[in-house]
């Protein structure tokens, strides 16, 4: 959990500030910013399927340590990137070790959990990256406003990533026989095809998260005249995630996976609708709490659903599949959000996000839940 927390904290410390950094440093418009920032998602998507195959086929601890080392190394590129092209290349290349490390780390976490408490444990493990994704942007924004120094943020992320790498060398895993007798070439080596409805859901929810997380800071600054208050937004988001994980963990322990996920998608939909409506600062902050409460239940429930639809030798593939879907949604959200904001309006971008969330919620409640009940293996 600590490795995972440092991984996501180091990465997402920079996320809400990169649009501001690119605007200030290179004077580029918002659709170009969206393209540059989405580069890592493309690289992540390309490596995810192979990551699942590697962690299912080789020593997971060694794969994790190697991937985390290259993840740490990539932060040096941000410090040295002096042109927009160099920055875009570094950001894109960073997606490769980020994608591989997240798959390896979550698969290792499943390995060390006792089977009797796996549903609950996955929920608590996921809290580490959700909390990091929520509080890291707040910390980044606070540091930036206190120092007005982007380079300092890059160095902090570099140091945190190095600490995460050191911790991977201390991970202890039970002995595991490598899978044998599997087909030499199969789609299920790279993507859990039987979980396709869940993948569609996660893609839609990831799209909404991508728009919200990447443009909330610049939206608050330009339209609501909120400068330091964006940190409060992410703090409330984090509070919602933490609260829902603790209550949701009890529900997952009882095996109520579908019910926990259903409540999550409903709460998230309310949050995105409030964010789009945004009649004032109160709705802006309240939406953060609802989105946090919803995603804190939604993601761990759906991760359990992916794992429960996979064989024991497909755990890496199950993890890579949900992450592929989430990152694909995030990437589409960053690009589409940037385009809509640049050429139409913030209002259009955020109402589009709320509509997609609502459609995803309806698809989950009316189809995905029944599909899961009919096709789960556990």
């Amino acid at each position: 959990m600590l490795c995972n927390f440092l991984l996501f904290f180091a990465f997402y410390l920079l996320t809400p500030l990169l649009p501001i950094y690119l605007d200030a440093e290179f004077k580029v418009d918002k659709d170009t910013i969206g393209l540059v920032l989405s580069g890592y998602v493309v690289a992540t998507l390309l490596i995810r399927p192979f990551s699942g195959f590697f962690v299912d086929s080789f020593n997971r601890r060694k794969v994790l340590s190697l991937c985390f080392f290259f993840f740490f190394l990539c932060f040096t590129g941000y410090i040295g990137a002096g042109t927009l092209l160099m920055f875009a290349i570094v950001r894109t290349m960073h997606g490769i070790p980020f994608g591989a490390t997240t798959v390896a780390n979550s698969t290792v976490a499943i390995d060390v959990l006792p089977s009797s408490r796996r549903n609950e444990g996955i929920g608590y493990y996921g809290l580490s990256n959700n909390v990091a994704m929520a509080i890291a942007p707040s910390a980044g924004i606070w540091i930036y406003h206190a120092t007005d120094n982007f380079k300092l943020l890059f160095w902090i992320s570099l140091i945190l990533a190095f600490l995460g790498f050191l911790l991977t060398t201390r991970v202890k895993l039970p002995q595991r026989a490598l899978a044998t007798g599997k087909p030499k070439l199969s789609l299920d080596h790279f993507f859990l095809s039987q979980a396709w409805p869940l993948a569609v859901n996660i893609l839609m929810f990831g799209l909404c998260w991508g728009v919200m997380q990447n443009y909330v800071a610049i939206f608050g600054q330009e339209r609501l005249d909120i400068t330091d208050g964006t940190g409060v937004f992410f703090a409330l988001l984090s509070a919602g995630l933490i609260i829902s994980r603790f209550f949701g963990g009890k529900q997952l322990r009882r095996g109520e996976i579908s019910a926990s996920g259903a409540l999550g998608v409903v709460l998230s939909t309310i949050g995105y609708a409030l964010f789009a409506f945004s009649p004032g600062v109160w709705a802006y902050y309240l939406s953060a709490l609802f989105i946090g409460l919803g995603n804190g239940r939604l993601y761990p429930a759906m991760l359990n659903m992916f794992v429960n639809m996979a064989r024991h030798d497909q755990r890496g593939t199950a993890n890579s599949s949900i992450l592929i879907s989430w990152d694909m949604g995030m990437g589409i959200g960053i690009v589409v959000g940037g385009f809509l904001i640049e050429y139409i309006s913030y209002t259009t971008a955020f109402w589009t996000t709320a509509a997609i969330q609502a459609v995803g919620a309806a698809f989950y409640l009316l189809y995905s839940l029944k599909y899961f009940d009919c096709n789960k293996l556990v």
Side-chain angles (χ1 to χ4, degrees):
M1 284 183 69
L2 193 52
C3 290
N4 198 51
F5 178 82
L6 290 170
L7 171 79
F8 279 88
F9 195 97
F11 197 77
Y12 283 96
L13 185 73
L14 308 176
T15 298
L17 292 166
L18 290 181
I20 298 172
Y21 173 72
L22 292 174
D23 180 50
E25 188 75 11
F26 303 112
K27 311 298 181 186
V28 293
D29 52 33
K30 292 180 179 63
D31 55 334
T32 303
I33 289 173
L35 288 173
V36 171
L37 296 183
S38 64
Y40 89 89
V41 180
V42 176
T44 299
L45 286 171
L46 291 175
I47 199 64
R48 290 275 200 217
F50 301 99
S51 304
F53 172 74
F54 284 128
V55 297
D56 281 339
S57 303
F58 300 100
N59 184 292
R60 286 174 179 166
R61 182 177 175 277
K62 291 180 179 178
V63 171
L64 173 60
S65 295
L66 185 64
C67 293
F68 216 124
F69 175 77
F70 284 107
F71 171 77
F72 142 72
L73 206 59
C74 282
F75 280 104
T76 60
Y78 294 113
I79 299 169
T83 66
L84 180 64
L85 178 60
M86 282 300 299
F87 186 93
I89 291 172
V90 169
R91 185 64 175 172
T92 301
M93 293 300 294
H94 206 175
I96 296 175
F98 177 72
T101 307
T102 49
V103 172
N105 206 45
S106 56
T107 307
V108 165
I110 293 172
D111 278 352
V112 300
L113 285 167
S115 58
S116 61
R117 303 192 68 186
R118 185 168 295 138
N119 290 345
E120 180 188 10
I122 288 174
Y124 288 127
Y125 166 80
L127 183 63
S128 60
N129 59 275
N130 280 147
V131 170
M133 289 170 69
I135 67 174
S138 302
I141 290 165
W142 183 84
I143 294 169
Y144 170 66
H145 284 298
T147 64
D148 196 28
N149 189 337
F150 283 107
K151 296 292 184 184
L152 175 62
L153 287 165
F154 296 149
W155 275 105
I156 292 172
S157 289
L158 176 72
I159 293 168
L160 292 174
F162 180 69
L163 292 175
F165 162 69
L166 290 180
L167 284 174
T168 64
T169 64
R170 307 296 298 170
V171 173
K172 296 180 180 180
L173 284 178
Q175 290 295 323
R176 178 183 68 91
L178 298 178
T180 58
K182 295 172 68 175
K184 289 186 177 180
L185 187 62
S186 170
L187 175 63
D188 280 345
H189 282 178
F190 307 106
F191 192 84
L192 197 66
S193 56
Q194 61 264 37
W196 71 266
L198 305 179
V200 171
N201 274 131
I202 283 292
L203 185 148
M204 299 175 79
F205 300 148
L207 186 154
C208 299
W209 186 276
V211 176
M212 180 274 298
Q213 187 177 57
N214 282 273
Y215 297 107
V216 64
I218 199 167
F219 166 70
Q221 182 175 295
E222 291 186 3
R223 292 302 174 88
L224 299 178
D225 198 27
I226 297 172
T227 52
D228 298 334
T230 309
V232 177
F233 181 95
F234 283 107
L236 289 169
L237 186 72
S238 176
L241 287 166
I242 294 170
I243 292 168
S244 65
R245 282 299 171 97
F246 282 116
F247 286 100
K250 296 177 181 178
Q251 200 169 17
L252 292 174
R253 186 190 304 175
R254 297 192 299 266
E256 299 171 5
I257 299 173
S258 299
S260 183
L263 179 58
V265 298
V266 171
L267 290 171
S268 292
T269 303
I270 293 171
Y272 283 111
L274 269 173
F275 188 77
F277 184 54
S278 200
V281 175
W282 67 270
Y284 176 81
Y285 289 131
L286 188 60
S287 69
L289 184 62
F290 271 98
I291 293 171
L293 289 169
N295 277 270
R297 283 180 176 266
L298 178 159
Y299 193 88
M302 296 198 73
L303 177 55
N304 271 293
M305 293 167 78
F306 270 85
V307 172
N308 288 348
M309 292 183 71
R311 301 188 308 268
H312 293 306
D313 62 340
Q314 290 181 305
R315 287 177 182 170
T317 304
N319 276 289
S320 67
S321 297
I322 189 172
L323 290 168
I324 287 168
S325 305
W326 179 265
D327 285 338
M328 185 177 292
M330 284 270 289
I332 295 171
I334 293 170
V335 174
V336 172
F339 180 84
L340 291 175
I341 290 167
E342 178 69 23
Y343 294 105
I344 305 179
S345 67
Y346 281 105
T347 302
T348 302
F350 296 142
W351 270 116
T352 301
T353 301
I356 291 171
Q357 173 70 27
V359 172
F363 182 71
Y364 177 83
L365 295 171
L366 298 176
Y367 183 79
S368 297
L369 289 180
K370 295 178 182 177
Y371 182 92
F372 170 70
D373 287 337
C374 293
N375 293 275
K376 62 183 178 181
L377 301 179
V378 180

